[in-house]
Amino acid sequence: MNASSLSLIPPGTGGVRDYASMVGHPLHAPLMELKHDTDTASLSGDFVLLHFSGYGFEKRGVPLWLVRRIRGLRTQFKAVGVVFHELFATGPPWGSAFWLSSVQRRIARELLLLSDFWLTNREDAARWLLAQSKAAPHRVLPVFSNVGELDAIDTERQRRLVVFGSAGIRAQVYEWADGEIFGSARRHGLEIHDIGPAMPEGPLTQRMVQEGVVAHGKLPAEQVSAALSTAAYGALAYPPDYVSKSGIFAAYCAHAVCPILLSKDYGQHDGLTANVHYMRGFGALDAATGDARTVGREARRWYEPHRVDAHVAALRALTSEVRR
């Protein structure tokens, strides 16, 4: 590849690739999939930007080869930056994440030490990174929407509840509290609109049909944006301390949709407050805790400082800073 700067990404599709593509073009850093057998010996230039997600580069989240590769690329590029989309997994002792977490931490730490600058999407992640080494130039910015950003948010909103994302993410919403979404939608006169790849045939998809869910399937970004621009609510099952890394949540906020966040615990993280920037579960609808338009506007106000152009500006400033 003949380019002065590169964005290195894991193979395949998904949010990391979407993010890298949207910031890579204005930074003149085209995408290059990196695997353990990719030949990088002839690469050189101004900067290389690694988009790090351990599970993207290796199915168990332990790409030890990646550290060696980035160490080599340090001698070939003037600067190395890392966008930490994820750091490491945690979990109970009966899960593999528990036993692999220490290795995953070591990989993240070594990549950090090899970097000249970095960016991450969560305040908790930034605190961990800052505790590992002296502070290199860095930024902390929640992710942006990969399906566009609504310019005029005062659009007419219909009584629609959108469930958007991958099949697995959407299934968590429908299965939450034994299908609480269906009863809540009926009580509040909401029509459920499902947007994303088809889910496997089974009891859940059968119930969705019975409950009258409007299934759109996987849509191009502009059609997702159009659907969100007229929806009142959007539901997502995600822990509040990680939701700033969710492209789905970002899409809701960018379109001033009122997010309904489903979680076992709630707390203030990354500038987000329950029943201010999102509704605290479907129970918030029953309790009439704020109206959809007000919460949607607050969600959009929270989103504004980390729009797509803010990420591009931050990465451009970081690359300029380390090359002075």
Side-chain angles (χ1 to χ4, degrees), residues 13 57 195 204 208 236 244 273:
T13 60
F57 284 107
I195 303 175
L204 176 56
M208 290 169 62
L236 174 65
S244 66
T273 302

Side-chain angles (χ1 to χ4, degrees), residues 197-240:
M199 288 190 282
E201 290 293 330
L204 176 56
T205 53
Q206 293 171 10
R207 184 173 184 186
M208 290 169 62
V209 172
Q210 293 168 358
E211 297 284 355
V213 173
V214 180
H216 295 269
K218 187 175 182 180
L219 299 176
E222 60 271 16
Q223 291 184 31
V224 177
S225 181
L228 292 177
S229 69
T230 59
Y233 300 94
L236 174 65
Y238 224 85

Side-chain angles (χ1 to χ4, degrees), residues 259-279:
I260 300 174
L261 200 60
L262 310 174
S263 178
K264 294 180 180 179
D265 299 295
Y266 295 91
Q268 288 191 324
H269 300 277
D270 298 286
L272 290 164
T273 302
N275 294 331
V276 175
H277 303 100
Y278 61 85
M279 285 192 173

Side-chain angles (χ1 to χ4, degrees), residues 60-297:
R60 298 181 74 85
V62 287
L64 295 168
W65 59 269
L66 186 59
V67 175
R68 296 191 296 270
R69 187 60 56 85
I70 298 303
R71 185 177 291 116
L73 288 171
R74 273 191 62 82
T75 66
Q76 298 165 229
F77 286 83
K78 296 176 183 177
V80 172
V82 181
V83 178
F84 287 97
H85 294 272
E86 297 173 350
L87 292 178
F88 48 81
T90 58
W94 54 85
S96 63
F98 176 86
W99 301 102
L100 296 174
S101 182
S102 62
V103 182
Q104 293 173 354
R105 289 169 191 256
R106 177 162 63 87
I107 291 171
R109 184 182 300 113
E110 292 188 18
L111 290 173
L112 171 69
L113 296 174
L114 289 171
S115 67
D116 297 297
F117 63 91
W118 54 269
L119 183 148
T120 194
N121 46 39
R122 299 172 51 242
E123 291 176 353
D124 284 351
R127 280 190 283 269
W128 185 88
L129 291 164
L130 288 169
Q132 306 307 307
S133 69
K134 61 181 181 180
H138 64 276
R139 298 288 191 278
V140 185
L141 292 173
V143 299
F144 52 75
S145 165
N146 291 334
V147 294
E149 298 167 338
L150 202 62
D151 292 326
I153 65 172
D154 290 324
T155 55
E156 183 178 349
R157 301 285 169 164
Q158 301 178 19
R159 300 293 294 171
R160 291 179 175 177
L161 167 59
V162 169
V163 182
F164 169 53
S166 67
I169 289 289
R170 288 168 18 245
Q172 291 179 42
V173 173
Y174 292 120
E175 293 169 348
W176 186 267
D178 295 323
E180 183 182 11
I181 184 174
F182 301 115
S184 183
R186 284 194 300 271
R187 286 194 301 275
H188 297 280
L190 296 173
E191 186 177 59
I192 303 173
H193 284 250
D194 182 77
I195 303 175
M199 288 190 282
E201 290 293 330
L204 176 56
T205 53
Q206 293 171 10
R207 184 173 184 186
M208 290 169 62
V209 172
Q210 293 168 358
E211 297 284 355
V213 173
V214 180
H216 295 269
K218 187 175 182 180
L219 299 176
E222 60 271 16
Q223 291 184 31
V224 177
S225 181
L228 292 177
S229 69
T230 59
Y233 300 94
L236 174 65
Y238 224 85
D241 52 337
Y242 280 83
V243 79
S244 66
K245 67 184 286 294
S246 167
I248 300 166
F249 186 77
Y252 292 158
C253 295
H255 290 80
V257 172
C258 173
I260 300 174
L261 200 60
L262 310 174
S263 178
K264 294 180 180 179
D265 299 295
Y266 295 91
Q268 288 191 324
H269 300 277
D270 298 286
L272 290 164
T273 302
N275 294 331
V276 175
H277 303 100
Y278 61 85
M279 285 192 173
R280 182 172 171 162
F282 293 115
L285 291 175
D286 296 329
T289 309
D291 65 272
R293 188 168 289 276
T294 299
V295 176
R297 285 172 176 162

Side-chain angles (χ1 to χ4, degrees), residues 1 6 8 32 34-45 68-69 72-77:
M1 181 177 290
L6 288 175
L8 300 178
M32 178 179 179
L34 184 63
K35 298 182 284 189
H36 68 90
D37 58 353
T38 302
D39 183 5
T40 57
S42 62
L43 301 178
S44 63
R68 296 191 296 270
R69 187 60 56 85
L73 288 171
R74 273 191 62 82
T75 66
Q76 298 165 229
F77 286 83

